[in-house]
Structure formats: C-alpha cells, structure tokens
Amino acid sequence: MTEQVTSQPSAEKKPVEPTAHFVGMHAKIIEALRIAEFGVPTQAQPISQRGVLLETSRNRLTLSTFDFWTAVSVTVPVETPVAKGYSLLEFSEMKKTLAAMVAGETKAVASQTPVSLAGDLLATEHITLPITTLDIHEFTHPPEPVPAMVTVDAQTFLTQLNRVLPAAGRDETLPTLTGVQMTLQGETLTMAATDRYRFAVAEAPTTATVTPLDNPVTTLIPSEVLAPLAKRLKTYEGPVGIGIIEDDAARTTLSMGDTTITMRPLEGRLPNPTTLFPTECGLSVQIDRATAARAAKKCQALIKAKGEGGAPVSFGWETDENFTLAPRLGTTDDQSRTKGMTVPSAIIHGSADVLENGLLALNPVFLLDALGTFTSDTITLHIRRADGLKPVLLTQGPDMAGEGYRHLLMPVRLAS
C-alpha cells in the first residue's frame, strides 16, 4: 500500500534542500490546496506527513498529500519553473500564509495575484516569506493511483452518491457500516450504504475506458471521505474516472481531470441488496413528495417542541384517497385526538388492510432524509407489513425495481 521515499538508514540520510520553483496565479494555488487538504492528517507521526509535497516539472506543479488512508494528487498549470524540483512544506502554514499575503486586496485582485515559490521562499509582488520545510525522508509517499476502468458523468455520479450518503452509518464501533460500497459490473456502477435501519442503493451508467468488465469489482469507501468530496464536485462538469484494485494492496482511485484521490477501503462488505429488497408487497401507495416533506418537518418540529425526542411519525388513512402524517405524541388518548396533515396519495397496488391498525410509523429524521434523496413529484411506498418486521421500500416510480434508486426504511414498532 505504501512506499517509502528512500530506504537508506536514517543515520546516513542528509537533509534534502527544497528545490521546487514555480510562478502561478493565487486562485489556482489556493484551489489546489483546498483539494489537497483531503489527504492531510490532523494528527500524524512523523510530523512530516502533515506536509504537502510540491513537485515542479516543465510547466506543471503537482501537490501531493497522504494521511495513510487517503492520497491526493492535484496538478495545476504554472509558468515554466527554473528546474525540476521538490519541496515538502508544512501544509497549514502554507495555506494560511497564502491567504494572509493578499489581505487587504479585493477578491478579484487577490485571485489574479502572481505567487512564486523558490525552494521554501513564498513570494508575491509585495512580500516574501519562508515556509517551514519538513523532512522528506520521514514522509511516506502516496501509493500509485489506480488507472480508471470506467468513467461516469460527474453530475450523475454526484446525484447518485448524495442519494446513498444519508444511509451510511455513523457508529465507529461498526466501521463496515460507515462506508459507501461501490461495485463496477458490466456498464453499471452500483453504490450502496446502510446503518441497519435503512438501506439505499443507487445505480449510474458507466463507459469503459478499455473493455467492459467481465467480473464485478467492489470497494467500500469511508463516507467521511466521500461526503466532503461530494461538495467539491458540485461545479465539476467533466467525467469521473473510477479504478479499483481488490488485492492485498487494495485501493480505489477517483480521477477528475488533473486531480486523483486514492483511498484505502474499509474491511468487509455490506449485505447483498438483492437478498434484502422486496420484489412483492401487499400495498403500494403513491404520495406527493413535497407535501410529505412539509408534513414531516412540521411533525419533527412538534416532537421537538413537546420534548419527546425519539417519537415516531405515522402515516394513516384519512379517507380512501388520502394519507395523513402525524406525530405520535403523548398518551393513547392524546394520539387519538391528534389529526395529521393530509398528504395527497393514491393506492396503485394492493389493499390498505395491509397496514396494522391503519398506521405506518417511521423515524422522522430517516423519513426526511429519504424524501430528500428523490427528485420526482411523487414517490411510491411499497408496504409489506407495518408491525416493525418488514422494511418499507421507497421508489421514484411505481416499479419496485426503483428506476436506478431504491431506499429501504425500517418501520418503528408501535406500542400496543
């Protein structure tokens, strides 16, 4: 997985003088540092690992960082450097210094300010300042990126990734469940996440870079790495390359233009969705998504106002045509007198008799997360049982196959 820069005994190592030289625009250097920060550890021994390795060659500057789990490489065009060189500089200091060197300038002027580096000397037109150098001998070099096996449209990748991220677990005692599983098979990328109470699966079409994959390859990437990355992809328009290696040096690389992010996967695998997602149900109800989201927000606010954190919300029939969504608060008598907000709905399959006591109770936070992952005006709830034993399937259309995205929610068992 890792490769040391040199294997010489430490007693024989001589300090490496910083030799990177470049001239580039302030905005481009700052943007590259923001991306490289994904690979900077907050705490690491040796301290050199908290540096950014700058490599200049021809008219390109490459910034590399590595926190032993995530390796980032960003290449930006710069003016022709004096010579090929390397400098390992303290990341945080360099970032803060660059910001301080344009203090007092307008945003437009700051972005177009030329910045130069000569070894460890950072300079603008107005000021020159040395940056702390770190021992390159103690810096563990990032692993080689995995060549892209397929490419995916960036905005499609982002949309589908954001759909599964809310379902990823947060419990560090169950590390496998804190990841997003990615599987490449044929011409499809499948992403999945679960925290035991919900399970989301999204698919995206891919284009093979060489030949279509004969056998599936799978990786499990920490959601804490993918969540901030998703924010960085909001404005990226090009393709995202994906490369996966499953052997002893397992790693996954996402490439976006001149940026590569290589990640070490979590151990383990998520359950096979095909064994969990239903293919038959007793009741399918199509509901208005926006109205359901408004109702869920009101219910969640009322639960908070009443100080009954953890209380569920419940769907129930107002008439044969409409669902209502209400908070389950107080005593049985209180609940019987509570009237929920009407959510336009229509039964498209089965019978309402499937609902035990005419109610379906769900966690309001999980429900809102799920509603937010869909983009259609309506979604369909596929209900098998409402006694807490069978998860409810949410899909964008009436088909249980999900049209590229499916979301399972575990009902909350109501007290008898």
Side-chain angles (χ1 to χ4, degrees), residues 19 49 60 153 157 178 184 243-244 272 332 367 387 397:
T19 56
Q49 213 60 36
R60 298 166 71 85
D153 174 75
F157 176 81
T178 64
L184 296 176
I244 298 173
N272 187 344
T332 302
L367 176 60
D387 58 4

Side-chain angles (χ1 to χ4, degrees), residues 1 23 40 94 108 117 136 157 164 170 189 195 212 242 252 261 281 300 318 354 412:
M1 175 63 187
V23 177
V40 179
M94 182 175 181
L117 180 75
I136 200 170
F157 176 81
V164 301
R170 303 293 185 268
L189 164 66
D195 60 3
I242 303 175
T252 301
I261 300 180
C281 68
Q300 186 180 40
E318 179 184 49
V354 169
V412 176

Side-chain angles (χ1 to χ4, degrees), residues 297-382:
K297 289 177 181 178
K298 295 179 191 298
C299 291
Q300 186 180 40
L302 288 168
I303 290 170
K304 182 178 180 180
K306 284 283 192 175
E308 295 193 25
V313 296
S314 60
F315 281 109
W317 292 111
E318 179 184 49
T319 66
D320 289 342
E321 296 297 328
N322 288 316
F323 258 176
T324 61
L325 186 63
R328 297 286 293 179
L329 295 168
T331 65
T332 302
D333 181 59
D334 292 335
Q335 293 170 9
S336 67
R337 293 191 294 157
T338 299
K339 181 179 179 181
M341 180 173 170
T342 299
V343 179
S345 59
I347 296 176
I348 59 176
H349 170 75
S351 167
D353 295 337
V354 169
L355 285 177
E356 184 181 275
N357 300 321
L359 296 174
L360 170 65
L362 298 168
N363 180 308
V365 175
F366 293 172
L367 176 60
L368 276 169
D369 282 347
L371 292 171
T373 60
F374 290 90
T375 56
S376 54
D377 292 337
T378 62
I379 63 170
T380 304
L381 278 62
H382 303 277

